[in-house]
Amino acid sequence: MRLTGTWPAGLESAFHRYEDALMQDDTAVLDALFEPGPDTLRGDGAGLLRGHSQISAFRSARGGVARRALIGVDVQVLGPDAVLVVGESRFLDGGRGLQTQLWCRTDGTWRIRTAHVTGRAPAFDRSVWRVLGDPLVPGAGSGPGGASGPLAGVRVAVKDLIAVRGQVIGAGNPTWQAQADIEDEHAPAVAMLLDAGAEVTGIARSDEFAYGLAGRNAHSGTTPNGAAPRRIGGGSTSGSASAVALGQADLGLGTDTAGSLRVPASYQGLWGLRTTHGAVSRTGVLPLAQTFDTVGWLTRDPELLRQVVGIAFGDPVERQREAEDPLVRGEPLLLSDALLDAAEPDTRSAFLAWVELVGRPVQSVALPDLDDLAETLRVVQAAEAHRNHGDWVAAHPGALGADVAERFAAAAAVTAEQESAARARLVELRTVLRRVVGNGVLAFPTAPGPAPDRTADTAAVLVTRRATLRMTSVAGVGGLPAVSFPALRVDDAPVGVCLVGPAGADLALVDLAIDLSTTPATRS
């Protein structure tokens, strides 16, 4: 190993003790060798961790690091008690890495105050992508001069639930993927984008069978959050959301049954649209629960979302103006105390402050009991999920991650009587919701709060899931369009504002969201 510089007394042994602890995943030693307190920093390509507690929580959840050997160390003494150490590593299974550490001595003990890790460049992040191309499928009219059409140059991440010709639908599960047939045709939702000139960059990860909201997959890992790296990214349109938030795609094509587009949009500061139920073809889409399944999109750019929605709904021209759009004319926003109470206190406060900044009149409305909405959706969704996939799940014990397996087990326990009662209640609730919304727009926080930390345990994520379903079930049970757009910051992380509008008002709803997001008082 090459050494450049001179070790101060005691630092060489501390440095090598840290390296040995890394290889053994000895988190107790690693924690002891980082300075305690809130000012300690650790950064890598995924983002910055601030404070010893965040760093310790991250380290305890990652499951160790790849085996490596030091090939060089540079030691630069900055002062009697401060030294910069840069280590170069060779990974035993290929590739190089770099780690930069600021070591400080306090009361005779050397500890790391600041660290930055540069890992080897992956071919692609398999937690985000299942298949990746350059592009995987070119857009219509592609040739020497490039694709043509209104979406030419737009890179699309397709959720691994939607058919792409020549590929299989993996459904977020390697056992299913291994048995799946190659698709003969693009799903209409894919073909529409290709015909407009967009290109499919790749097939992006999904929570297994889209039966989740966290973006955690037992087989491919937790998708990164492009806006808040220490938090989960959300699902089940998880890979598509991360690809868009990270700049690896411009448009995410996904599905939303109980929040699978809106939740990752909220968590990662994106624009996400759940379309009116049945308005966009679900042909070529692996179903979870047909009564609620919808197709929709995620973007960083609201105008791109508006363009795509316009193409999908037959209005590819410029945005409607206020005088033509009854939803944008300044009618009151509908607010529900129940939905505001369902949000975490800081989120509720941030939302009410946003409403005041927007300056639009508001009108209070009463919704059906949120627990009733969520439970009705859960029972019907579970019954249909079991009908669609229960036989396969039963024939492949151990193929599912524990959380999704528990959901399918609960789905199998739904009786015919319970399903029948829930379906009857669904008709009643849908009628009430559509009457309450009328020709107006219901506004509320998309999710109870920011995304949970990546280190949150399964029980904590489940609590968040249940709380979230109480909010997302409004559009699901109503069969109504819902757009989530980035408007709030809570605990230095994004939270979306959700607008739910009348059935078929998808275009106008996106227009309204764009207008509200560009209100002069909210631009800062």
Side-chain angles (χ1 to χ4, degrees), residues 258 262 370 373-374 377 433 468-478:
R262 291 163 286 160
L370 300 187
L373 292 173
L377 186 147
L433 285 170
T468 303
L469 286 173
R470 299 178 73 240
M471 305 176 78
T472 58
S473 61
V474 172
V477 171

Side-chain angles (χ1 to χ4, degrees), residues 40-61:
T40 307
L41 302 176
R42 182 200 180 276
D44 59 18
L48 185 65
L49 297 172
R50 294 181 174 87
H52 190 279
S53 59
Q54 279 191 16
I55 297 168
S56 177
F58 158 79
R59 191 182 288 125
S60 64

